[in-house]
Amino acid sequence: MDGKPKRPPRAPPQPGARSAAWPVGLLVALCFTTLPLFLALSPGRPTLFDLWQQMGIKVTVRYGYGTPAARASYDETTKPPEPSGSPPESRRDVLLGGLLSPDIEEASCLSRYTSSLYREPSPHSPSPYLVSRLRKYEALHRRCGPGTPSYDKSVRQLATAHNSMGLAECSYLVWTPGNHLGDRMVSMASAFLYALLTHRVFLVHMAKDMEGLFCEPFPGASWELPLAGFLVQNLTQLRRGSEHSYGSLVGAKKVSNEDPTGVRSESLPSYAYLHLAHDYQLHDQLFFCDGDQTVLGKVNWLILRSDLYFAPGLFLVPQFEDELRWMFPATDTVFHHVGRYLFHPSNKVWKVIAGYYASYMAKFGDRVGIQIMTLAWNPVSTDAYFEQVTACTRQAKILPEVNPDAPSGDYEATAATSSKAVLVSSARPEYAERLTSMYYEHATVTGESVSVLQQPGAGNLPRNHKVLVEMFLQSYCNVSVVSGWSTVGYVGHGLAGVKPWLLLPPPSRNKTAASSPCVRATSMEPCFHAPPRYDCRAKKTGDLGAVLHYVRHCEDVHDGLKLFD
């Protein structure tokens, strides 16, 4: 014997304990294997791919440049100049983390695969679930879009007096334009998100002043509504109080929302008009109520007109909450992702954008965008607003101060080596001219040199084309200073994925300037300027900025609503 105590033998497992343990283990195993499968196979729920990603299981998907023809067309002549300090193109993600499908030929839309190369890589990646939902939507659009048997059948059903949702294979949302391009783009993004949530085909009534503006965003199908044969006439004449507006139908008791689940689709009209513009009234605002969404879900065709970014209101609808949480885990990235997915300038517009960028912006690593808009209903003098702009850039240390006692020296020599560029966009050229004069005549206290760039004239392009050029050039700036209320500014910094400095409008009784020149936004989302006043959950008028912690009031529009993370 070695003197070491022997380890006592293990006690044999007790039959009772073993028989009690194995069913528990089996139950746990079944839960882990069947629950993800159940969720994945449920309609409107995440796929297994989504669940794997959410659980941290890496799934690598490789994307190319679409078809062989598209890849062949991607040569040195279509590549953008490399922005200063940016990674080499081989390491760029031109499909934006899977946000874009590779199934559209690059030659048909050069901006789709090159525009993002002009910006710093976005730190905001789309969720795997959003990527999955977009691919499913594209399949739906190919199956039900214009030119398909399903579309033709649904159009014929518009001739009937009543809805025939039970017979229809597909349902549709038609967006019809408002006035200004910035308003149109933020409302289009909201409308597409609503179509995504409700599994509707998104169609755009392309007004004449929008022709040739954007590329088609969906592979293998058009988003443009064919007006020939469409049985609803004068779409642009639809207004608040129109006979087929949902607000009018509810107000006249032609549609009942008292028992939403009990409403039969056959009792509803063949289409309903949704008026979500700034002048909408209480019955129109019921759109944001859960029960009314249940009723609207039974109408085959919805026609929507809006000049608002109403996406924050969709987060207030309980039946959309889970889906929106899966699509946008970071709540303040909605427009950033949806805007980069939908909006791609046509080749004609892109030629102007790319040419200006290559000539004036590409050599600067530090680019500041200043977008100035004055409000017709609350004007401020040019002198006072210019002082507000320079006070903002000075206090926020966006631009260096000038030394009034020191001349700038040789302007041409300075411009060639400028460390900072400022792109000024405004309907009034005086702002850019005065800023140019300020940095031309005086040296900066820091020794930095500043080049002031004015927005391009864009030749004989139509007005909306020029505005689109302005918005995209602003989106290539690292720092954004924009006028409050400006939807043009919202689009620019939203595409860029940066939180802007907002120039606050002056109080309505004071026409000089705001007391504080600007405030740094804590969210890059646009503001919903005219949210509903009716709290559907409380069934009374209330403050909808206090319902959800991520839907709060805007910095620039006190009564507006905005998404925060």
Side-chain angles (χ1 to χ4, degrees):
M1 294 184 63
D2 56 9
K4 293 182 180 180
K6 291 185 177 180
R7 183 177 297 170
R10 289 182 180 177
Q14 299 296 317
R18 180 171 56 188
S19 62
W22 76 264
V24 175
L26 179 61
L27 182 61
V28 171
L30 284 173
C31 286
F32 274 98
T33 55
T34 59
L35 181 60
L37 183 62
F38 170 75
L39 287 173
L41 296 178
S42 299
R45 293 296 181 184
T47 63
L48 284 175
F49 173 79
D50 306 324
L51 288 164
W52 289 335
Q53 294 280 347
Q54 296 288 351
M55 294 165 65
I57 301 173
K58 299 292 185 183
V59 181
T60 302
V61 180
R62 297 187 180 276
Y63 297 99
Y65 278 102
T67 63
R71 287 193 295 271
S73 72
Y74 190 79
D75 57 21
E76 293 298 324
T77 63
T78 60
K79 293 180 182 178
E82 290 289 334
S84 173
S86 58
E89 185 192 329
S90 59
R91 290 165 50 197
R92 304 282 188 81
D93 178 14
V94 295
L95 296 180
L96 310 180
L99 193 69
L100 303 181
S101 165
D103 297 331
I104 291 181
E105 288 198 3
E106 185 176 357
S108 68
C109 185
L110 296 173
S111 66
R112 180 181 176 88
Y113 299 112
T114 54
S115 179
S116 63
L117 307 185
Y118 290 24
R119 304 185 186 106
E120 294 295 323
S122 174
H124 313 286
S125 299
S127 71
Y129 184 60
L130 176 60
V131 171
S132 172
R133 286 290 286 111
L134 290 172
R135 297 296 85 80
K136 289 176 182 176
Y137 173 80
E138 291 162 1
L140 171 70
H141 202 104
R142 284 192 296 270
R143 189 174 74 251
C144 299
T148 64
S150 296
Y151 175 82
D152 295 339
K153 179 181 177 181
S154 294
V155 168
R156 288 194 299 270
Q157 290 169 352
L158 275 172
T160 62
H162 293 286
N163 186 55
S164 50
M165 188 73 173
L167 303 175
E169 300 172 15
C170 311
S171 56
Y172 298 84
L173 176 68
V174 176
W175 176 88
T176 186
N179 293 325
H180 305 292
L181 185 60
D183 299 350
R184 292 179 185 184
M185 290 177 70
V186 295
S187 74
M188 285 174 77
S190 305
F192 176 70
L193 178 59
Y194 177 61
L196 206 59
L197 289 166
T198 54
H199 306 280
R200 291 180 178 272
V201 176
F202 179 64
L203 298 176
V204 172
H205 174 214
M206 201 65 70
K208 287 189 178 297
D209 62 355
M210 290 183 66
E211 291 177 356
L213 199 58
F214 297 110
C215 300
E216 294 277 359
F218 311 131
S222 176
W223 68 342
E224 186 171 345
L225 174 73
L227 292 180
F230 192 68
L231 301 178
V232 182
Q233 302 297 318
N234 301 319
L235 291 177
T236 56
Q237 302 303 313
L238 292 170
R239 292 290 187 272
R240 184 187 71 194
S242 294
E243 180 185 359
H244 273 264
S245 78
Y246 183 71
S248 296
L249 293 170
V250 171
K253 306 294 185 184
K254 293 181 179 179
V255 168
S256 173
N257 58 357
E258 295 177 1
D259 179 21
T261 57
V263 174
R264 295 187 306 114
S265 61
E266 296 80 7
S267 68
L268 299 171
S270 57
Y271 76 92
Y273 165 60
L274 304 174
H275 186 77
L276 300 182
H278 65 280
D279 63 344
Y280 62 169
Q281 296 179 332
L282 176 61
H283 285 130
D284 301 305
Q285 296 173 10
L286 295 176
F287 170 86
F288 297 102
C289 295
D290 209 46
D292 294 86
Q293 279 301 321
T294 298
V295 175
L296 288 169
K298 301 176 184 181
V299 180
N300 192 22
W301 285 88
L302 296 179
I303 300 171
L304 184 148
R305 181 184 178 88
S306 177
D307 55 6
L308 300 168
Y309 182 67
F310 62 86
L314 299 176
F315 282 76
L316 297 170
V317 182
Q319 63 183 273
F320 297 154
E321 282 188 88
D322 288 346
E323 187 84 348
L324 287 166
R325 248 196 312 266
W326 275 96
M327 285 197 281
F328 304 103
T331 321
D332 64 346
T333 61
V334 174
F335 184 82
H336 181 58
H337 292 320
V338 175
R340 291 184 305 153
Y341 175 77
L342 274 186
F343 302 124
H344 308 286
S346 67
N347 285 353
K348 181 178 181 180
V349 179
W350 179 245
K351 183 177 180 181
V352 178
I353 296 171
Y356 185 91
Y357 179 90
S359 299
Y360 301 104
M361 297 177 70
K363 59 187 175 184
F364 296 103
D366 194 357
R367 299 183 291 270
V368 176
I370 300 179
Q371 195 275 332
I372 301 173
M373 178 200 74
T374 54
L375 302 169
W377 51 266
N378 193 13
V380 60
S381 71
T382 302
D383 288 344
Y385 211 7
F386 181 75
E387 290 300 321
Q388 182 177 346
V389 171
T390 53
C392 172
T393 58
R394 181 175 64 251
Q395 292 177 18
K397 301 190 182 305
I398 296 169
L399 294 177
E401 294 185 58
V402 295
N403 184 347
D405 300 322
S408 63
D410 183 1
Y411 178 73
E412 295 298 329
T414 331
T417 57
S418 292
S419 61
K420 191 168 287 192
V422 185
L423 175 65
V424 181
S425 300
S426 175
R428 296 184 177 182
E430 305 97 282
Y431 294 109
E433 291 168 358
R434 291 181 66 168
L435 201 64
T436 300
S437 176
M438 187 172 78
Y439 284 107
Y440 175 79
E441 296 172 0
H442 304 287
T444 62
V445 295
T446 61
E448 293 178 276
S449 53
V450 175
S451 287
V452 180
L453 312 175
Q454 293 194 45
Q455 61 194 47
N460 295 320
L461 285 178
R463 171 172 170 73
N464 279 340
H465 290 60
K466 294 178 181 178
V467 175
L468 188 62
V469 169
E470 172 188 336
M471 287 189 279
F472 267 77
L473 290 176
Q474 286 287 336
S475 79
Y476 302 143
C477 296
N478 318 100
V479 179
S480 182
V481 179
V482 303
S483 294
W485 286 81
S486 173
T487 52
V488 170
Y490 292 163
V491 172
H493 69 69
L495 293 174
V498 300
K499 297 174 183 177
W501 291 88
L502 294 167
L503 297 165
L504 300 177
S508 57
R509 292 184 298 276
N510 175 10
K511 304 305 182 187
T512 55
S515 55
S516 176
C518 62
V519 61
R520 180 71 184 274
T522 54
S523 165
M524 58 188 171
E525 277 286 294
C527 179
F528 183 6
H529 287 167
R533 305 283 184 179
Y534 184 70
D535 185 344
C536 304
R537 303 181 192 218
K539 298 189 183 301
K540 63 179 182 180
T541 301
D543 180 8
L544 296 184
V547 176
L548 299 173
H549 68 88
Y550 47 83
V551 180
R552 305 197 296 274
H553 291 296
C554 311
E555 298 92 345
D556 54 334
V557 184
H558 177 70
D559 294 331
L561 291 181
K562 188 173 180 178
L563 293 167
F564 295 81
D565 189 27

